Amino acid sequence: MKILGIETTCDETAAGVVEDGRILSNVVSSQIRLHRRFHGVVPELAARAHLQRIAEVVESALEGRKVDAVAFARGPGLMGPLLVGKMAALAAAESLGCPAVAVNHLEGHVFAAELCGKLRYPLVTLIVSGGHTDLLLCRAPGRYRLLGRTRDDAAGEAYDKVARMLGRGYPGGPVIDRLARRGDPRAVAFARPMLPGTWDFSFAGIKTAMLYHLRDLKRAPSRREVADLCASFQEAVVETLVRKTIAAALHFRVKQVVVGGGVAANGRLRQAFSEAAQKHGISIQIPPPILCTDNGVMLAQAASHRLRRGRVGRSLRCDPGLGFENWGA
Ligand code: KG4
Ligand code: ZN
């Protein structure tokens, strides 16, 4: 079965085609340059840019192919961008004579991993993106139990805000990832917020500690200090994410850990997860960076499970997904 996936939840206009777990095309048009000067995504500009680019992106993903279904994200995401994606998907489905399937964007981040190999259930999955940090137990596609999530900033949001504090542009994740490679992760001792007794996360404290550190410095940090701060901040975030996720995997005795979302593109996070997994004998699946950040093929793959379960009609009758957060609903 061939499925076209259309992604427009935030600042990536993307589309791709998947056939039985194989990627046939994957087109991503990033709006980063458009939003950079505002140090963040401007929803109205994003919606307009999606509208300008969507037809071309979908056409180049299709390359004249016929597909059996069109998937789109019904949330979570920005209202205008979501509507552009939904309208594009409905139009494409109508003209191709196939059903449109609404999927949860976060569920897409989980199934990006399946494009790299079969998933083994039950699994624990950590979704770390610009808006979410969710830890879930998944017994089968569509069967999720939310174990914990961030109580304040998402991991990606903390990266973006800290990069901004350091005057280092948007999006902050890739910038900090790069700068941290030259820094000492032990230079500044940021706390690891473990929130014992829960599977929740909290990153606002690390972010505030960074703010106070910079304020107390009373001058602009040197290049060396910026590298050290990035490495120390990153180590605190990564250690928290890895420790809690591995602890959940051991507690629930799962067969695999799956990590997804933009922050899963982070070099140090990937390295720390593979070290921890090896140490504890846990199988881990993290897609390559290009499939961690937003894309259309992850939605197509998530939709393949919905189609198999016959959930297409119900999905389409649902609300377009503004603020949609229900896992597997
Ligand atoms: O999943 P995603 O592309 O969009 C959302 O669904 O939010 O995630 C975007 C987030 C941004 O906060 C960005 O800074 C972060 O992922 N990110 C990274 C890296 N690449 C993207 N964070 C850390 N290291 C990276 N290499
Ligand atoms: Zn995303």
Side-chain angles (χ1 to χ4, degrees):
M1 188 193 279
K2 281 197 195 99
I3 306 173
L4 165 70
I6 297 179
E7 157 62 34
T8 62
T9 57
C10 189
D11 60 350
E12 240 86 57
T13 313
V17 179
V18 163
E19 181 173 30
D20 304 325
R22 250 180 349 113
I23 299 174
L24 301 187
S25 66
N26 185 17
V27 180
V28 180
S29 168
S30 173
Q31 301 179 7
I32 284 174
R33 285 173 57 186
L34 176 69
H35 302 289
R36 190 166 271 155
R37 70 198 140 114
F38 302 104
H39 306 284
V41 180
V42 182
E44 293 310 316
L45 291 183
R48 204 178 308 158
H50 283 304
L51 204 52
Q52 281 160 355
R53 297 175 189 190
I54 192 71
E56 199 185 325
V57 167
V58 168
E59 268 172 31
S60 53
L62 279 173
E63 293 168 316
R65 288 184 193 92
K66 286 261 168 234
V67 293
D68 303 293
V70 181
F72 67 97
R74 66 178 166 119
L78 302 169
M79 188 163 81
L82 280 171
L83 287 174
V84 175
K86 179 176 180 176
M87 290 309 138
L90 295 183
E94 182 69 29
S95 73
L96 294 163
C98 65
V101 191
V103 297
N104 183 335
H105 174 84
L106 299 172
E107 202 176 2
H109 278 306
V110 177
F111 288 103
E114 203 177 33
L115 294 164
C116 316
K118 210 167 160 350
L119 301 185
R120 293 166 56 197
Y121 300 93
L123 56 83
V124 154
T125 178
L126 172 74
I127 301 304
V128 265
S129 69
H132 292 80
T133 301
D134 287 0
L135 186 66
L136 300 114
L137 178 64
C138 174
R139 300 207 171 274
R143 287 184 59 202
Y144 308 101
R145 182 173 142 206
L146 183 64
L147 301 176
R149 55 177 26 173
T150 183
R151 293 186 180 176
D152 37 61
D153 289 357
E157 190 181 354
Y159 266 93
D160 294 337
K161 287 178 177 169
V162 163
R164 194 173 171 177
M165 281 178 211
L166 294 167
R168 291 298 196 282
Y170 178 87
V175 178
I176 291 184
D177 191 351
R178 203 179 57 243
L179 290 170
R181 276 178 222 153
R182 283 180 264 129
D184 175 5
R186 285 155 311 196
V188 184
F190 291 115
R192 274 64 170 155
M194 295 310 291
L195 308 185
T198 80
W199 299 111
D200 282 349
F201 300 95
S202 166
F203 297 107
I206 308 178
K207 183 193 68 185
T208 310
M210 173 70 85
L211 189 70
Y212 290 162
H213 186 91
L214 290 171
R215 190 194 58 189
D216 295 346
L217 206 57
K218 295 197 178 78
R219 58 173 171 80
S222 67
R223 281 167 74 134
R224 169 91 252 153
E225 285 167 334
V226 166
D228 284 349
L229 284 168
C230 287
S232 303
F233 160 79
Q234 176 162 279
E235 204 56 26
V237 173
V238 165
E239 196 181 314
T240 310
L241 290 171
V242 173
R243 269 170 61 185
K244 291 208 88 155
T245 306
I246 296 291
L250 294 171
H251 180 87
F252 293 101
R253 297 169 195 239
V254 295
K255 296 217 172 89
Q256 197 169 50
V257 168
V258 167
V259 190
V263 182
N266 184 269
R268 179 66 192 124
L269 184 76
R270 302 170 75 86
Q271 182 194 27
F273 260 122
S274 74
E275 284 166 7
Q278 209 167 13
K279 182 172 161 199
H280 295 283
I282 297 172
S283 150
I284 186 140
Q285 189 96 285
I286 313 181
I290 184 73
L291 295 180
C292 290
T293 45
D294 290 347
N295 62 78
V297 286
M298 68 182 196
L299 301 176
Q301 187 58 20
S304 72
H305 295 288
R306 278 188 176 267
L307 283 159
R308 218 164 291 148
R309 296 198 306 272
R311 297 281 293 272
V312 184
R314 189 185 149 192
S315 298
L316 269 182
R317 278 202 303 278
C318 289
D319 170 87
L322 314 178
F324 171 73
E325 296 262 341
N326 296 329
W327 272 93

